Amino acid sequence: MKAFFRILLHSVLVLAFLAAIELHAQDWVHTGTNLGNDRIRVAAADLKPVGADPQTPALKAVFDATLYSDLASAGIFDMVSKSLAPQATPGSPQEMNLAQWSAAPSNAAMVVFGALSANNGRLIVYGWLFDTRNTANPQVLGKQYNELASQDMARTVAHRFADEIIYRLGGGINGIAETKIYFVSSRTGTKEIWAMDYDGQNQHQVTHLGSISLSPRISPDNSRIAFSTLGREGWAIRMFSLDLGRPVGFPAGTAGGSNLSPAWSGDGSKIAFSSSRSGDSAIWVADASGGNLRKLTSFRGPDVAPCWNPRTNAQIAWVSGRTGLPQIYTMDIDGANIQRMTDGGYAVSPSWSPNGQALTFSWNRKYGPGDPGGQDIYYFDIASKRWLQLTHESGSNDYPSWAPDGRHIVFERTVGGHPQIWSMLADGTEQHQLTHAGNNQMPNWSWK
Amino acid sequence: MSLLEGGEELERELAPVEAREPVAAPLAGSLLLHGVLFGGLLLYGLLGSLFHHNLWGSPGSGGAIQVNLVSSAIPLPADQPPNQNVLSTETPSQAPAEPTPKAKEAVDEKAIPISGKQVKKPLAQTAPKTQQHQPQPQQNNRAQYGEQAGSSIARAVQQNGSSGPASITVGDFGSRFGYYVDGINRKMATSWYKPEVDPRTPKGARVYLTFTIRKDGSPTDVQVDRSSGSTTLDRSCQRGVQRVDTFGQLPSAYNSSTLKVSYYCEY
């Protein structure tokens, strides 16, 4: 019996020792600066159509175009032009010849490929991402999608696959291919809230209030839109539930005076807005349910357009006219630690970057008579108070809003009296017009 | 008649001016007018400088672009300047071969020693009197001009046998998930702010850090492994790592829960 226990004890000890080894087994990586920060050269091969379903070619065309445009607009890839791709279309890892893709003319570091088939009304997509320089273990990502066969679904699946690729290769930052942009459009005659995909596709009307609705702000969980609208008692903050498809109550936003420009905190628990219920327009904060209302600023002069630091949820940037022309300020959520950011000019519409390090806003640096200075979008580094002009000599630019990846900004540009929605990379490059019909204003990028 | 009168009139017009009227007043008026004209132009120029100026691109505060941000916090790849390296390879050329040792004098062991003759003792086999190899102290504060930081990562190590999880050996992360290592480099390049470093730091100074990446991609346990000699460089590199929220989830095919990283920042 004693011998049995001894053996048992020994085996337990050995097991514990092995487990400890297992726990400490971890790899080392040695690396440093100057070892490459160039854009990743990615080739997106056309998917291989499988089967003879008549829907397949159309779905494949939508998928290929969407995936390519998603990757190209991600801002981190150097895309291989489709005309430089090898002739053969691989549909599976067995058919993949990495040497063909890594060699000239495509010189791809990464290849995206796969197969698509439509079967009995189902769309089936296999997708892979391969590292061409790693011949031993080339697979970075393998995905399979099985959805209803429709053009919208093909686009959605392409967005999802693109986001997976961007997440893997973009350092853990989620892609934005599935995000939405909310904006104000007057194309039905009155200013209503509209929504569209991040690339301008799929534009549709959200509210039908028949009044004037402005400054939509989507909640972090994509369930509700807060906006200001002109009602019987003047400007009020209203709430629209996307789940229910109808307006829901927000009692804090309907008291007297003008209530404008709501802003969600990053955790979705609070809303800041400006209200003139106590005289001058000031910043107020309420819970998302509409209770627990309190006033943050009490200075002479208007305080408007608040926005939260989405990373800490403990600071607010806003526009104040206490010294004359509107300037950007920041403060803590208890109203303390007020700091002025801009040194002059006419600065409005702040939006705080997702990583909390920068603001973007619209600024006319040389505002005044005799000066035809432009209203342009600026990137402003909070720690150093240095800035970078993102738009130059093209229309009047306003209402910038960060994308959740911190790499894109959507904004409103007015050329010839017609405001339209544009998007660009956060360094000012790759500017694209997203809307063309009617007047479109005040875009807001969703949180995810 | 009218023609004659016209001729007379012309004659009067062509007559010397001083005979007809005084010249001083018109001359003064003309001078005054010109003076006012030039003065106006001068004043316009002076006043114009008070108002809008197209100072586009000038270094002063009135310029439109200020591009030298302290941080490159926009998570977008930055353009890298071309490498100024003149060396084609990092590997040093072969040193000349050591001289071959002199052939030993053959000693016939079987030979019977001649009595009375001094036996020539074979020289004792002493170890060659070379200095023992001393590891050279790394001089971190020395500028390393013209040296290219080559990639230390084997990107395409051919693994023998199946590529299944059974053949994974500890330490091949760089070859299996090269894209992830590239991702670390990209992320660090945007989060390390070089202007934070004291400009007196010699070019080429390197600080080596070690840190651990957790499964979710967040860095932890950031430590200076080998200091560069410049505290600002050490600290800026540490801050660069701490500024990163996530390097991205560790690859799911990677068995261990953490990854150790040795990273250097080179000024």
Side-chain angles (χ1 to χ4, degrees), chain A residues 87-99:
Chain A
Q87 295 287 315
T89 306
S92 68
Q94 288 76 36
E95 296 168 24
M96 186 69 210
N97 184 350
L98 285 177

Side-chain angles (χ1 to χ4, degrees), chain A residues 156-236:
Chain A
T156 305
V157 169
H159 283 328
R160 278 186 205 155
F161 188 42
D163 274 352
E164 291 280 352
I165 294 167
I166 293 163
Y167 177 74
R168 286 300 187 296
L169 300 181
I173 298 179
N174 284 315
I176 52 162
E178 278 195 276
T179 57
K180 302 262 186 286
I181 292 169
Y182 294 86
F183 59 101
V184 175
S185 180
S186 60
R187 63 187 88 169
T188 56
T190 54
K191 287 190 174 176
E192 302 280 359
I193 309 299
W194 284 59
M196 63 181 166
D197 291 353
Y198 92 105
D199 53 2
Q201 299 276 343
N202 191 20
Q203 301 188 8
H204 58 275
Q205 192 173 352
V206 176
T207 65
H208 299 81
L209 298 174
S211 171
I212 300 174
S213 300
L214 295 176
S215 61
R217 293 285 182 274
I218 182 74
S219 67
D221 60 358
N222 283 343
S223 68
R224 288 191 281 175
I225 307 173
F227 55 98
S228 48
T229 189
L230 188 58
R232 238 171 278 139
E233 303 139 359
W235 289 98

Side-chain angles (χ1 to χ4, degrees), chain B residues 235-258:
Chain B
R235 211 174 307 137
S236 77
C237 194
Q238 269 177 299
R239 277 209 214 108
V241 181
Q242 284 156 353
R243 217 170 266 136
V244 173
D245 290 329
T246 174
F247 288 102
Q249 213 169 18
L250 289 177
S252 48
Y254 177 54
N255 290 355
S256 188
S257 60
T258 55

Side-chain angles (χ1 to χ4, degrees), chain B residues 102-113:
Chain B
K102 277 182 187 164
K104 252 192 306 177
E105 213 177 300
V107 177
D108 193 354
E109 309 245 324
K110 285 179 195 162
I112 302 157

Side-chain angles (χ1 to χ4, degrees), chain A residues 250-253 255 271 273 275 277 284-287 290-295:
Chain A
F250 182 66
I271 289 181
F273 58 96
S275 174
R277 63 189 69 184
W284 292 68
V285 170
D287 286 350
N292 204 4
L293 187 69
R294 63 207 164 85
K295 188 178 172 187

Side-chain angles (χ1 to χ4, degrees), chain A residues 25-26 31 131 134 381 387 389, chain B residues 64 66 71 155 175 185 256 258:
Chain A
Q26 60 182 358
T31 182
D131 182 349
N134 191 341
D381 190 66
W387 39 261
Q389 184 173 352
Chain B
Q66 183 189 12
S71 67
R155 285 301 312 275
S175 59
N185 292 340
S256 188
T258 55

Side-chain angles (χ1 to χ4, degrees), chain A residues 25-34 38 40 110 131 133-134 171 311 357 371 381 386-387 389 406-407, chain B residues 52 64 66 68 71 73 75 155 171 173 175 182 185-187 193 245 254 256 258 260 262-264 266:
Chain A
Q26 60 182 358
D27 283 12
W28 270 85
V29 159
H30 298 266
T31 182
T33 49
N34 315 342
D38 46 342
I40 309 166
M110 293 276 167
D131 182 349
R133 290 176 295 174
N134 191 341
R311 190 184 156 94
Q357 292 174 11
D371 199 323
D381 190 66
R386 282 163 180 260
W387 39 261
Q389 184 173 352
R407 295 184 184 120
Chain B
H52 176 66
Q66 183 189 12
N68 48 345
S71 67
R155 285 301 312 275
F173 188 94
S175 59
D182 290 347
N185 292 340
R186 281 195 194 88
K187 201 93 185 190
Y193 303 165
D245 290 329
Y254 177 54
S256 188
T258 55
K260 280 293 249 185
S262 161
Y263 186 87
Y264 67 76
E266 183 177 299

